[in-house]
Amino acid sequence: MKWKEHSGWAVVIIGFLLFIIWLLIDKNTWTFFGIHLNLTFFLVLTICIFLVYVGSIVPDSDSEDRNSYVFHSYFMPIGYLFHSFEFITSRILSMPRGHRKSLHHPIGILISSLFFIIFFSIFLSIFGFFNFVYSIFYFISLLIGQYLHILQDR
């Protein structure tokens, strides 16, 4: 499956999840399960949406010829970061490197997502924006995107 299909399905899933969130918002008090909808809520939600989208294309950063869309777009730095995670992940899983190998394995997705969120959390903490609970949401969002990719490749 090409990146257009992966990202297209990610957009559909994101739209569906946003619709569910919209239905669950209490319009009288503008709360979502007791969380007041403020700028922080929308910023975290935007980052989560971005990570689902990115997660839907980064498993292809394990391509040997680097011909994947992730290397020829704005996501290039993330693609190379995940490509470096592939080396570590393939060692942990004792799998050969290559397309549809370690970054297309459920444990590989878990490991690469964890590495990315650690780097992302360090980046946020440098600027004083780190929050552990938000990092869990980011991790789950990236996992959802990557697992969507794997489901679509089957």
Side-chain angles (χ1 to χ4, degrees):
M1 189 177 269
K2 296 292 183 189
W3 73 270
K4 288 181 183 180
E5 289 90 12
H6 287 301
S7 59
W9 278 108
V11 168
V12 169
I13 298 296
I14 290 168
F16 178 73
L17 291 175
L18 287 175
F19 179 70
I20 299 276
I21 289 172
W22 177 252
L23 291 177
L24 295 175
I25 290 175
D26 182 2
K27 308 309 187 285
N28 294 326
T29 60
W30 288 100
T31 57
F32 178 73
F33 290 107
I35 301 170
H36 290 285
L37 303 183
N38 56 18
L39 183 61
T40 303
F41 175 83
F42 287 109
L43 181 63
V44 169
L45 184 63
T46 302
I47 292 171
C48 287
I49 289 168
F50 175 75
L51 288 173
V52 169
Y53 183 81
V54 167
S56 72
I57 58 175
V58 294
D60 282 338
S61 61
D62 64 1
S63 63
E64 294 168 353
D65 59 0
R66 291 189 183 92
N67 201 18
S68 174
Y69 172 75
V70 74
F71 294 112
H72 304 285
S73 66
Y74 297 115
F75 304 115
M76 182 181 60
I78 295 173
Y80 279 104
L81 185 62
F82 272 85
H83 190 72
S84 66
F85 293 159
E86 181 202 8
F87 179 75
I88 300 166
T89 306
S90 65
R91 292 288 178 147
I92 292 171
L93 295 174
S94 299
M95 294 179 78
R97 295 181 70 193
H99 188 56
R100 293 195 177 175
K101 299 288 185 207
S102 61
L103 291 184
H104 280 73
H105 190 276
I107 303 297
I109 289 173
L110 195 65
I111 293 168
S112 64
S113 295
L114 184 63
F115 284 150
F116 180 79
I117 294 305
I118 289 170
F119 277 100
F120 190 59
S121 297
I122 291 169
F123 175 77
L124 290 175
S125 66
I126 289 171
F127 296 102
F129 294 118
F130 175 74
N131 184 307
F132 184 74
V133 175
Y134 297 159
S135 293
I136 292 172
F137 285 121
Y138 302 152
F139 177 71
I140 292 169
S141 300
L142 190 61
L143 274 179
I144 288 171
Q146 290 194 69
Y147 281 121
L148 281 174
H149 180 104
I150 302 307
L151 286 173
Q152 293 164 4
D153 274 352
R154 301 239 181 252

